[in-house]
Amino acid sequence: MTGERTPPETAGPRRRMRPRRRMRPWRLLPTPTGTPFTFAYAAVLLGTSLFVLFAEPGVVASALRGSSTDVAHLAHTPVFVLVASALWIDGGITSPFAIAFLVVLTALERRIGGRRTAGVFVLGHTVATLATEVPVGLSVMAGHLPESSLHRLDYGISFGVAASIGALAGLLTPWPRWAVLAVVGGMLVEDLVEFTDPMTSWGHLMALAIGVGTWPLVRRWRRATGPSTA
């Protein structure tokens, strides 16, 4: 025994320094391999948006009317119009919901996978649509609304995007989570107060709440998928 002590840095296995994560802004956008669902869906939406811009106005109007999730269409071809209505962007590719679609669905798909992201989107789109249109049909039957309300033009991705925002918030750390919900929720409430389109505004708030309601599921899916590389 020499009484010498092993230096602390050699006494055991050295701690490995974790590599510093690089900021990769391009991963905010969908890619064919990283986020195939969002990428393919965005391509379809780009195609329909170009159709709206360049096709004859009468043809566009007819296509939108045929895709509308109004009460009359939901009563006869519910599955068709629920799918068709989600192939259009109300307001075009420059609308806030179009931009949110790219960023939010990309982030959500990188965390829980494509099929589950599609499930969240479809859930919000379907439930919020039915929750806003069924009361219209009942009000017409009760005589509180005119029959023209059965043919109300209703299409777009906004309900699905709102639900996806609510779901993604549950995967964020507390401060960003509540900041996102406060900002988005505040904007949706402001739209409702303005009373421009109250049915759609209520639908947006319900879709956001639906997304929040998926937190237990999306958190479980996130653990099963593993840490995001986004």
Side-chain angles (χ1 to χ4, degrees):
M1 295 292 292
T2 61
E4 295 180 358
R5 292 187 177 181
T6 305
E9 62 271 15
T10 61
R14 296 183 181 181
R15 293 182 180 177
R16 296 182 179 178
M17 297 293 292
R18 291 185 178 179
R20 200 170 183 177
R21 296 180 67 179
R22 297 178 182 177
M23 294 296 293
R24 292 175 285 184
W26 60 88
R27 291 181 66 81
L28 295 175
L29 297 176
T31 61
T33 55
T35 55
F37 166 71
T38 306
F39 185 86
Y41 198 172
V44 171
L45 292 173
L46 176 61
T48 57
S49 297
L50 292 174
F51 172 80
V52 170
L53 285 175
F54 297 109
E56 293 184 6
V59 176
V60 172
S62 177
L64 294 178
R65 282 196 302 270
S67 303
S68 175
T69 49
D70 53 45
V71 177
H73 281 130
L74 286 172
H76 294 93
T77 56
V79 176
F80 172 79
V81 291
L82 282 169
V83 173
S85 65
L87 302 180
W88 310 92
I89 305 176
D90 186 11
I93 56 178
T94 59
S95 78
F97 279 106
I99 298 169
F101 171 89
L102 287 177
V103 176
V104 172
L105 267 74
T106 296
L108 191 60
E109 185 170 358
R110 291 194 188 281
R111 286 161 174 80
I112 65 173
R115 286 182 299 175
R116 292 162 177 170
T117 298
V120 171
F121 185 95
V122 170
L123 179 68
H125 175 70
T126 302
V127 174
T129 296
L130 295 176
T132 52
E133 292 296 342
V134 168
V136 171
L138 295 176
S139 296
V140 171
M141 290 175 60
H144 300 310
L145 288 175
E147 286 195 16
S148 59
S149 300
L150 298 176
H151 304 279
R152 172 178 172 270
L153 190 61
D154 188 14
Y155 64 91
I157 60 172
S158 58
F159 290 169
V161 172
S164 300
I165 292 172
L168 178 63
L171 302 177
L172 303 176
T173 54
W175 280 110
R177 176 189 311 152
W178 300 117
V180 166
L181 290 178
V183 170
V184 176
M187 293 171 61
L188 298 182
V189 169
E190 184 179 357
D191 287 344
L192 182 61
V193 171
E194 291 177 356
F195 218 68
T196 304
D197 188 352
M199 293 301 295
T200 299
S201 298
W202 274 117
H204 289 152
L205 285 169
M206 283 188 283
L208 184 67
I210 289 166
V212 171
T214 66
W215 284 4
L217 271 178
V218 295
R219 287 169 176 169
R220 189 185 313 158
W221 292 338
R222 170 69 180 275
R223 289 192 296 268
T225 303
S228 170
T229 56

